[in-house]
Amino acid sequence: MNPCSHIQSRPLQKFSPTGHTSVPQPAKSQPMSIWRAIMKKPRTAVRSRPRKQASRQEGREKRVLSSSQVKPPTPNACAGTMPEFPGAPAGLARRQEEVVVQASVSPYHLFRGTAEVRAFRENLLRWYDREKRDLPWRRRAEGEVDLDRRAYAVWVSEVMLQQTQVATVIDYYTRWMQKWPTLQDLASASLEGVNQLWAGLGYYSRGRRLHEGARKVVEELGGHVPRTAETLQQLLPGVGRYTAGAIASIAFGQATGVVDGNVVRVLCRVRAIGADSSSALVSQHLWSLAQQLVDPARPGDLNQAAMELGATVCTPQHPRCSQCPVRSLCRAHQRVEREQLLASRSLPGSPDVEECAPGSGQCRLCAPPSEPWDPTLGVTNFPRKASRRPPREECSATCVLEQPRAVGGPRILLVQRPNSGLLAGLWEFPSVTTEPSGQRQRQALLQELQRWAGPLPATRLRHLGQVVHTFSHIKLTYEVYGLALEGETPVTTTPPGARWLTREEFHTAAVSTAMKKVFRVYEGRRPGACKGSKRSPVSTPSSRKKPSPGQQLLDSFFRPHIPRDAPSLNSTAQ
């Protein structure tokens, strides 16, 4: 073994001659011991432990907590590396990393001793039992006895909740589970049907990967969802570290912590972590804290409680600290009280409030000196906002081509996007990527239209307006055109990848939110539309009136914010 190796240990995989990895399958030639290891249940039971086991569990907790204070392994010749074992499980490597991380930071940013950890758990769970929201995925998971059905219910909700607000997900989740109540139902569905139901939810690759995962479980894993976070992440497409931990803890009772956007905020405030929360060091430390805090008897509830706290109390802009069940353990709140005491000068000298005092140099978990404490922000000084690159800007010309006198009523043309990339497999109006303006834009768009519908009258192509839609990494401006085939012979044949739909069919098709905005512009400007009707608010962004600072503040206050996985902590969505 090379002690200076920088290659991180990963679960053993098979490699094909093409270089692609393959996951272990339950084939006859494969030892059953490996398959049993993949499907093994976690040691922790799903239900709460009997009271007679409490003393033994308490002893184990003390040993686990005390182990976080031990010295890290002897550093090797390469700075920043640690001894690893070839083929060691991912969980073992993570536990090694947690020990090193905890031993290398100030105790100020750690939970110390069983009493403090137990107080955090008890206070948070007591609050959660009293205040938790009644959500459909929680009801379904709590009432489901079958472990695979329970895991499926959690899996769907966690994927939908990535980068999407709870209020939006509820309706989608309800309709999804009504249509595909089991993994087998989803596996037998078509991708077209999945995209159709997912339309409008955004980040469409999530639905596609969920469909792929269901098919893999049914076709390759015997219909059984992997039982541990490690095997979930290893075997299921689109399942990252957070989603795997959520499924394993909530559905199977595995004592594994999770970190999503809400948990990041809670832990950064509770332990006064002011460094960039998206950095590798801070991310690693947050996962270590989450693992230390997870309740072995109620791991799923503890994880959900931490997320619930961040979603409803420890919010980004207007936290309700007076209602926080762990306020007494929150170092950010303690810092606020300290600053208030110093400002009032009611006590001589500095109040007795603990601060970070690293042995030498700047603490890597504290805010940098260039970003001092802002007394006007209070606890919202934590966490530090990560600097994000602005989305790249692109322009696309798109046209709503309509046959007003088609057989069976007016119809509009839609074409299907490629099976990979942005909005993969969805339907859209014929579009071309172009320069922001110019005659070439019209020519390129007309050529694209003729590719799908044959010769067209160029003089009727009218520019109707503009739609700006921002995806996760692209700010896309659609120049909206319209063309109506009034006197021409209706088109009856179309090439593969195109279809003519009625207005009713369009609204139920697998189209993106951006295309629905484009269609609203067309409907508001097409011949025969009511001239007195209100202009579409998305037709001309340049004409929008910028809200006043006061209005922006009100909008920010009332806008719900329930993020789940931060992209840096989980799988990337489109």
Side-chain angles (χ1 to χ4, degrees):
M1 181 180 69
N2 180 7
C4 296
S5 174
H6 288 272
I7 302 176
Q8 294 186 353
S9 62
R10 296 182 181 274
L12 288 173
Q13 294 176 317
K14 294 181 180 179
F15 290 85
S16 66
T18 60
H20 293 85
T21 60
S22 61
V23 297
Q25 307 298 336
K28 293 181 179 180
S29 59
Q30 188 178 38
M32 288 304 296
S33 59
I34 298 179
W35 178 241
R36 284 194 292 268
I38 292 175
M39 297 302 298
K40 68 179 180 180
K41 296 181 181 179
R43 294 181 180 180
T44 308
V46 175
R47 303 297 180 185
S48 299
R49 299 177 184 273
R51 292 185 178 180
K52 66 174 68 176
Q53 299 181 9
S55 60
R56 285 182 291 174
Q57 178 62 40
E58 182 177 335
R60 283 195 294 270
E61 290 178 19
K62 289 181 179 179
R63 291 194 295 273
V64 171
L65 290 170
S66 62
S67 67
S68 65
Q69 306 301 323
V70 300
K71 295 181 180 180
T74 303
N76 56 37
C78 297
T81 64
M82 56 182 293
E84 294 184 346
F85 302 94
L92 176 59
R94 286 173 184 162
R95 286 193 292 273
Q96 293 174 333
E97 293 173 359
E98 290 165 4
V99 172
V100 172
V101 170
Q102 289 193 354
S104 63
V105 301
S106 167
Y108 178 71
H109 301 293
L110 300 173
F111 287 93
R112 294 170 295 178
T114 58
E116 192 172 26
V117 171
R118 190 178 300 110
F120 184 95
R121 293 172 178 169
E122 292 176 352
N123 292 347
L124 185 58
L125 286 172
R126 190 181 304 113
W127 169 85
Y128 178 72
D129 291 338
R130 184 178 66 251
E131 302 291 342
K132 65 180 178 181
R133 290 169 293 178
D134 181 22
L135 300 174
W137 44 90
R138 287 178 180 166
R139 292 196 304 269
R140 184 177 287 266
E142 290 172 357
E144 182 57 66
V145 177
D146 184 274
L147 292 182
D148 292 306
R149 283 176 174 259
R150 181 189 301 166
Y152 173 61
V154 176
W155 185 6
V156 173
S157 68
E158 292 299 337
V159 172
M160 286 187 172
L161 286 165
Q162 295 170 12
Q163 306 296 318
T164 308
Q165 299 167 0
V166 166
T168 302
V169 169
I170 290 176
D171 181 57
Y172 279 91
Y173 181 85
T174 302
R175 289 189 288 116
W176 181 285
M177 299 305 290
Q178 288 174 347
K179 190 167 186 177
W180 302 301
T182 67
L183 275 164
Q184 288 72 18
D185 295 323
L186 178 58
S188 62
S190 66
L191 181 57
E192 172 73 15
V194 170
N195 286 336
Q196 184 174 343
L197 194 150
W198 201 277
L201 193 58
Y203 296 90
Y204 294 90
S205 63
R206 296 178 297 169
R208 183 175 68 252
R209 289 172 180 168
L210 185 57
H211 181 243
E212 293 173 2
R215 295 186 62 180
K216 184 167 187 176
V217 169
V218 172
E219 297 173 3
E220 301 179 18
L221 302 181
H224 298 296
V225 180
R227 296 308 199 241
T228 66
E230 292 77 14
T231 52
L232 282 162
Q233 187 175 352
Q234 177 187 359
L235 297 177
L236 300 184
V239 173
R241 186 176 182 181
Y242 161 76
T243 305
I247 297 172
S249 63
I250 299 172
F252 302 129
Q254 183 184 3
T256 182
V258 300
V259 175
D260 75 338
N262 288 311
V263 177
V264 166
R265 186 165 55 257
V266 169
L267 294 180
C268 282
R269 289 174 180 172
V270 169
R271 294 294 93 177
I273 300 173
D276 185 356
S277 60
S278 64
S279 69
L281 175 70
V282 174
S283 175
Q284 200 175 73
H285 183 60
L286 294 176
W287 278 97
S288 177
L289 290 177
Q291 186 61 39
Q292 186 181 18
L293 290 171
V294 68
D295 190 328
R298 299 177 61 186
D301 286 343
L302 194 287
N303 288 335
Q304 292 184 89
M307 292 184 282
E308 188 87 343
L309 183 67
T312 62
V313 174
C314 195
T315 55
Q317 300 297 330
H318 303 280
R320 298 181 292 164
C321 294
S322 62
Q323 301 179 28
C324 179
V326 294
R327 181 180 59 176
S328 62
L329 300 170
C330 180
R331 298 211 184 282
H333 183 70
Q334 293 168 7
R335 177 69 183 270
V336 171
E337 291 182 327
R338 172 180 177 272
E339 296 293 333
Q340 290 174 346
L341 287 173
L342 288 175
S344 66
R345 298 181 179 177
S346 58
L347 293 176
S350 300
D352 185 18
V353 176
E354 186 179 358
E355 293 184 86
C356 179
S360 61
Q362 173 67 26
C363 174
R364 297 175 65 189
L365 293 180
C366 287
S370 59
E371 298 182 16
W373 173 269
D374 185 346
T376 64
L377 296 179
V379 299
T380 60
N381 277 281
F382 306 100
R384 174 190 169 195
K385 292 184 179 179
S387 58
R388 295 184 179 179
R389 294 181 180 179
R392 71 173 187 269
E393 297 190 10
E394 294 184 1
C395 183
S396 176
T398 185
C399 180
V400 180
L401 180 62
E402 181 176 13
Q403 296 187 80
R405 300 182 181 179
V407 177
R411 294 181 182 273
I412 53 180
L413 178 67
L414 291 180
V415 298
Q416 192 170 29
R417 292 185 61 85
N419 291 327
S420 61
L422 183 69
L423 306 175
L426 269 66
W427 294 84
E428 66 178 7
F429 300 113
S431 307
V432 291
T433 301
T434 66
E435 297 296 326
S437 61
Q439 186 63 27
R440 292 182 179 180
Q441 183 183 91
R442 297 176 61 91
Q443 294 174 352
L445 181 59
L446 186 62
Q447 185 177 359
E448 177 69 10
L449 291 170
Q450 292 174 342
R451 187 167 74 91
W452 296 104
L456 297 172
T459 56
R460 296 186 191 173
L461 184 63
R462 299 183 300 117
H463 184 264
L464 304 179
Q466 190 181 81
V467 165
V468 178
H469 189 83
T470 302
F471 299 92
S472 58
H473 58 293
I474 301 175
K475 182 180 181 181
L476 189 53
T477 299
Y478 293 93
E479 298 294 343
V480 183
Y481 290 81
L483 198 161
L485 303 178
E486 293 289 351
E488 289 75 10
T489 303
V491 180
T492 56
T493 60
T494 55
R499 60 173 63 168
W500 292 89
L501 301 180
T502 65
R503 280 171 166 75
E504 293 73 17
E505 291 170 337
F506 168 79
H507 289 296
T508 59
V511 297
S512 67
T513 301
M515 287 299 105
K516 293 180 180 179
K517 292 180 180 179
V518 167
F519 191 62
R520 286 202 296 269
V521 172
Y522 174 77
E523 288 287 81
R525 299 293 299 275
R526 68 187 176 91
C530 179
K531 295 183 179 180
S533 62
K534 294 182 179 180
R535 190 175 183 179
S536 171
V538 297
S539 59
T540 311
S542 58
S543 65
R544 300 175 188 162
K545 183 178 179 181
K546 186 177 180 180
S548 65
Q551 183 62 44
Q552 292 181 29
L553 181 61
L554 287 174
D555 292 343
S556 176
F557 179 82
F558 287 108
R559 186 183 298 116
H561 185 90
I562 313 290
R564 300 287 287 191
D565 278 355
S568 62
L569 298 173
N570 200 7
S571 57
T572 303
Q574 283 183 357

